[in-house]
């Protein structure tokens, strides 16, 4: 234990740097998934094509992460690019599915009365449907973020940034005492991030949910 | 096919047809109908008869397959539907209130779309809450889920009226509400309508509600056909065919009593009355002078007690009927109190006269013989403008 703490005080800068990179990487993947997933959900949630879209998003999730990162090297090279794209693909299903479910769960009478009062399709979506679906959408983001924090460690295998590099270094120096320390740093860093992200999303959910929608 | 035209229709439907894709039978079939300005027209009929579809064709929530819709003389069949709808109030059974918005924000929806400034919107919201009987300072900032069903429906009506549209579409607005609250809301809508004189299309499957609310009733049958379009009196006294008779059901003559408000009816004013303050000898003298079994004691004009001429203590006056009650309510009161007379009061609760059972029986039979409505027409009673 003292050995681990001593070691950590020696490389704390590298640890913080890796943690920051890891956070940014996950946020990039998540952000991209939201940018593509939300409009896609808004376009397809009423249409039959949503089943096909969800099926494709589901397939991404079944590809083993090592393989997906590896496959992306061919078109995107090494480093951050394939890492972000891989994470986006993994986040796609929870983001898209929750958005579709959230939009479909809205009381049809609310949408009908909004249309009946003369709100345009876009106004109904932005002022009524998205705010009402927001709690479900945020839950999707929360699930996706937890998942990405773990998967992002694989990015190190394609020269990507993040805490995975500490774990990878640990693996490559197996047999030395540092091996365990490095791996432990990577793992603990991810756990701490997971807790922080969860708190963040809980706060976000509370902030964006109207008083009128909290079920007591 | 019922073709009815009036001088100045606010809504005119011309040969309106809706056929859903993949169906051969039209949901609404070449319907032509005029809704006169300032009247309540009720669409009534069994489920699946196309009454709701027809209503949604008016604000084009459902686009017609063929035919034309004229609003205040203007052909709106092809105008921008969103702009059209901002000028037509819309209230539905499930209210469709926005759960994430406050009562005030809900009501402000259309005024904000129309770009009203904040002060005007706020003033309008408070005026409307007041109109539908909800204290603005108490309800303005609540969310819909904090309201009862009846209160939600009041907000729904206020929201539909927000931008003061000339036309209001109401799809079974009181259908999901308990009978007691429903009656209150019906009465309040009629009271509000006396002030605002909107053109209202009201959909219901309840013939009693149709008779109560409608200046005119359109009876729909299977396939979106209107089999009779007429005043409630004429529909009850001269149903066009067996379908209409069946739909009205039994008891049409009793039901017609609910068309006459007591405020519009003649009442007997010859019942012997006595001030409550009268002493024993005055009471005895009055009993001796009259041939009635009971004298009515009035306290400052308010009926308080029946005094039996046979002596003994007085009986309290149970449930007097006011001007907004109907003859049907008067009959109901008599039957439930096991009495053959009921006290009639004015809007302030002051004694106006009495109604007895033989009078009501006569009214039913006079009606039957002449086929003429006894009801003083709504428009007259509106102009007299009693406050409640």
């Amino acid at each position: 234990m003292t050995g681990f703490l001593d070691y950590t005080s020696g490389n704390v800068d590298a640890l913080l740097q890796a943690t920051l990179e890891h956070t940014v990487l996950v946020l990039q993947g998540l952000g991209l998934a939201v940018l593509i997933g939300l409009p896609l959900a808004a376009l397809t949630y009423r249409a039959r094509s949503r089943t096909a879209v969800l099926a494709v998003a589901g397939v991404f999730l079944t590809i083993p992460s090592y393989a997906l990162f590896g496959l992306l090297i061919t078109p995107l090279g090494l480093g951050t690019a394939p890492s972000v794209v891989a994470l986006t693909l993994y986040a796609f299903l929870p983001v898209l599915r929750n958005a579709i479910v959230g939009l479909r769960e809205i009381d049809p009478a609310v949408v009908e009365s909004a249309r009946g009062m003369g709100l345009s399709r876009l106004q109904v979506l932005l002022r009524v449907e998205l705010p009402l679906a927001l709690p479900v959408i945020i839950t999707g983001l929360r699930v996706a973020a937890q998942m990405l924090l773990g998967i992002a460690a694989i990015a190190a295998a394609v020269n990507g940034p993040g805490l995975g590099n500490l774990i990878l270094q640990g693996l490559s120096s197996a047999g030395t005492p540092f091996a365990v320390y490095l791996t432990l740093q990577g793992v603990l860093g991810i756990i701490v991030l997971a807790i922080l992200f969860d708190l963040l999303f809980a706060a976000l959910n509370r902030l964006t949910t109207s008083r009128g929608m909290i079920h007591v | 096919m019922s073709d009815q035209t009036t001088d100045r229709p606010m809504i005119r439907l011309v040969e309106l047809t809706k056929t859903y894709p993949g169906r051969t039978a039209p949901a609404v079939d070449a319907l032509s109908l005029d809704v006169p300005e300032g009247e309540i027209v009720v669409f009534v009929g069994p489920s699946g008869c196309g009454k709701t579809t027809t209503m949604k064709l008016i604000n084009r929530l459902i686009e017609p397959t063929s035919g034309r819709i004229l609003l205040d003389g203007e052909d709106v069949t092809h105008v921008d539907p969103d702009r059209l709808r901002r000028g037509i109030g819309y209230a539905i059974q499930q209210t469709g209130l926005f759960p994430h918005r406050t009562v005030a924000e809900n009501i402000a929806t259309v005024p904000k779309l129309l770009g009203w400034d904040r002060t005007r919107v706020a003033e309008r919201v408070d005026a409307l809450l007041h109109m539908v009987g909800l204290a603005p300072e108490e309800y303005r900032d609540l969310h819909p889920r904090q309201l009862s069903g009846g209160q939600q429906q009041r907000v729904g009506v206020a929201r539909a009226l927000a931008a003061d549209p000339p036309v209001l579409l109401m799809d079974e607005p009181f259908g999901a509400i308990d009978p007691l609250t429903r009656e209150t809301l019906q009465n309040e809508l009629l009271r509000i309508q006396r002030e605002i004189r909107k053109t209202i299309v009201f959909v219901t499957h309840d013939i009693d509600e149709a008779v109560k609310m409608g200046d005119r009733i359109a009876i729909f049958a299977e396939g979106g056909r209107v089999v009779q379009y007429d005043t409630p009196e004429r529909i009850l006294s001269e149903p066009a065919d067996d379908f209409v008779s069946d739909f009205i059901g039994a008891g049409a003559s009793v039901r017609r009593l609910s068309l006459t408000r007591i405020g519009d009816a003649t009442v007997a004013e010859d019942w012997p009355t006595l001030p409550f303050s009268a002493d024993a000898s005055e009471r005895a003298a009055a009993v001796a002078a009259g041939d009635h079994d009971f004298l009515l004691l009035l306290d400052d004009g308010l009926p308080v007690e029946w005094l039996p001429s046979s002596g003994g203590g007085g009986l309290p006056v149970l449930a007097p009927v006011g001007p907004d009650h109907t003859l049907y309510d008067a009959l109901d009161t008599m039957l439930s109190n096991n009495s053959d007379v009921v006290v009639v009061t004015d809007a302030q609760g002051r004694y106006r006269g009495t109604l007895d059972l033989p009078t009501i029986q006569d009214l039913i039979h006079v009606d039957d013989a002449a086929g003429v409505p006894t009801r003083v027409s709504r428009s007259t009673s509106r102009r007299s403008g009693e406050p409640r």
Side-chain angles (χ1 to χ4, degrees):
Chain A
M1 189 65 195
T2 34
F4 175 65
L5 292 178
D6 285 346
Y7 183 82
T8 303
S9 65
N11 79 337
V12 68
D13 286 347
L15 176 57
L16 287 178
Q17 178 66 26
T19 309
L20 183 67
E21 286 173 6
H22 202 85
T23 310
V24 171
L25 180 61
V26 166
L27 287 177
Q28 283 171 323
L30 203 57
L32 218 54
V34 168
L35 281 182
I36 304 168
L38 279 193
L40 199 59
L43 286 174
T44 58
Y45 79 97
R46 280 183 219 269
R48 224 166 273 168
S49 57
R50 72 174 183 280
T51 336
V53 173
L54 282 174
V56 171
V59 167
F60 292 142
L61 212 55
T62 64
I63 303 175
S65 17
Y66 247 114
L68 184 57
F69 280 86
L71 285 172
L72 288 170
I73 296 176
T74 315
L76 298 169
L78 290 167
T80 308
S83 309
V84 170
V85 171
L87 293 187
T88 303
L89 293 178
Y90 282 121
F92 213 47
L93 184 70
V95 169
L96 188 70
R97 183 167 39 210
N98 277 48
I100 288 178
V101 168
L103 289 169
R104 289 182 65 85
E105 267 179 0
I106 296 169
D107 179 1
V110 171
V111 176
E112 188 198 312
S113 76
R115 294 290 285 153
M117 282 188 291
L119 274 78
S120 67
R121 270 306 294 140
L122 190 65
Q123 284 169 330
V124 173
L125 185 69
L126 296 180
R127 299 185 192 189
V128 180
E129 293 178 297
L130 281 180
L132 288 175
L134 207 53
V136 185
I137 294 174
I138 288 178
T139 304
L141 292 183
R142 200 167 165 174
V143 170
Q146 298 296 322
M147 205 170 71
L148 292 198
L149 282 169
I151 297 177
I154 311 286
V158 294
N159 274 0
L163 289 162
N165 286 300
L166 299 179
I167 300 172
L168 205 63
Q169 279 174 39
L171 286 174
S172 62
S173 52
T176 68
F178 312 131
V180 179
Y181 296 158
L182 280 165
T183 310
L184 213 53
Q185 280 181 345
V187 171
L188 287 176
I190 289 173
I191 291 175
V192 168
L193 279 183
I195 293 168
L196 289 178
F197 265 76
D198 211 44
L199 290 174
L200 178 83
F201 279 112
L204 195 64
N205 209 347
R206 196 160 310 156
L207 276 178
T208 55
T209 306
S210 149
R211 265 196 309 134
M213 289 160 58
I214 301 162
H215 297 285
V216 192
Chain B
M1 179 71 352
S2 170
D3 254 292
Q4 188 125 356
T5 52
T6 48
D7 295 339
R8 185 173 161 67
M10 178 55 90
I11 304 167
R12 168 168 284 180
L13 308 181
V14 185
E15 294 282 306
L16 209 55
T17 300
K18 175 66 188 182
T19 310
Y20 285 105
R23 302 268 182 87
T24 42
V28 175
D29 192 6
L31 177 65
S32 295
L33 183 138
D34 279 4
V35 179
E37 185 178 7
E39 291 196 4
I40 300 182
V41 167
V42 180
F43 291 178
V44 67
S47 310
C49 63
K51 54 190 192 295
T52 296
T53 305
T54 304
M55 163 182 265
K56 288 183 181 174
L57 286 169
I58 297 175
N59 66 357
R60 290 181 40 219
L61 276 177
I62 297 174
E63 291 285 357
T65 312
S66 65
R68 293 191 306 145
I69 307 150
L70 281 82
L71 195 69
D72 202 11
E74 187 203 349
D75 190 331
V76 295
T77 324
H78 302 290
V79 303
D80 171 20
D82 293 330
R83 269 193 38 218
L84 170 69
R85 289 175 201 147
R86 286 170 201 177
I88 300 178
Y90 189 57
I92 58 179
Q93 178 178 337
Q94 312 85 335
T95 75
L97 293 179
F98 302 149
H100 60 306
R101 300 282 181 90
T102 63
V103 165
E105 288 166 344
N106 265 285
I107 297 175
T109 307
V110 180
K112 276 187 187 157
L113 284 177
L114 296 174
W116 292 18
D117 66 64
R118 288 174 128 220
T119 1
R120 188 174 168 208
V121 172
E123 283 170 9
R124 181 70 183 154
V125 166
D126 283 4
L128 284 163
L129 279 173
H130 192 73
M131 183 195 266
V132 297
L134 299 173
E137 57 281 2
E138 194 179 333
Y139 288 96
R140 201 191 281 135
D141 298 321
L142 295 185
H143 283 89
R145 68 170 176 89
Q146 296 168 289
L147 306 178
S148 71
Q151 290 168 336
Q152 288 184 12
Q153 201 49 262
R154 285 165 197 260
V155 176
V157 171
R159 186 172 70 167
L161 288 169
D164 205 19
V167 173
L168 201 58
L169 306 181
M170 309 185 89
D171 190 1
E172 304 207 26
F174 310 137
I177 291 176
D178 68 89
L180 219 67
T181 313
R182 183 188 311 146
E183 199 183 333
T184 313
L185 289 176
Q186 287 169 341
N187 291 340
E188 293 205 9
L189 181 62
L190 289 174
R191 169 183 63 81
I192 293 170
Q193 170 67 353
R194 281 199 289 267
E195 292 165 21
I196 60 179
R197 312 275 334 245
K198 299 292 182 190
T199 305
I200 300 179
V201 175
F202 189 109
V203 168
T204 180
H205 58 262
D206 176 356
I207 183 70
D208 287 316
E209 184 167 63
V211 167
K212 176 168 182 177
M213 303 304 291
D215 293 298
R216 285 161 204 260
I217 297 176
I219 300 210
F220 279 68
E222 219 61 31
R225 292 174 305 119
V226 171
V227 287
Q228 190 169 6
Y229 182 45
D230 226 324
T231 59
E233 292 85 355
R234 289 178 58 91
I235 282 185
L236 290 176
S237 57
E238 297 168 46
D241 58 16
D242 288 348
F243 177 83
V244 178
S245 321
D246 283 351
F247 189 73
I248 297 168
S253 53
V254 173
R255 200 168 267 140
R256 251 182 305 160
L257 288 175
S258 66
L259 291 173
T260 310
R261 293 194 175 274
I262 291 171
D264 300 327
T266 345
V267 298
E269 292 167 12
D270 55 355
W271 197 278
T273 64
L274 201 64
F276 190 65
S277 53
D279 60 29
S281 61
E282 284 174 297
R283 292 185 182 198
V287 166
D291 56 352
H292 286 77
D293 291 340
F294 290 90
L295 296 181
L296 188 60
L297 293 182
L298 304 180
D299 186 10
D300 198 22
L302 307 176
V304 282
E305 247 178 50
W306 292 107
L307 185 69
S309 53
S310 53
L315 303 166
V317 171
L318 296 169
V321 290
D324 264 2
H325 288 95
T326 63
L327 290 179
Y328 184 87
D329 298 324
L331 178 63
D332 188 53
T333 306
M334 286 181 215
L335 296 177
S336 57
N337 290 350
N338 197 18
S339 155
D340 56 4
V341 65
V342 65
V343 174
V344 178
T345 63
D346 63 13
Q348 284 73 42
R350 292 170 183 283
Y351 174 73
R352 212 187 116 211
T354 56
L355 264 175
D356 59 10
L357 205 48
T359 312
I360 288 188
Q361 282 167 333
D362 285 350
L363 285 170
I364 293 177
H365 291 298
V366 165
D367 255 8
D368 277 349
V372 176
T374 42
R375 181 168 77 154
V376 179
S377 81
R378 272 267 174 78
S379 51
T380 324
S381 66
R382 267 192 203 114
R383 246 173 260 125
S384 73
E386 67 260 84
R388 256 195 102 97

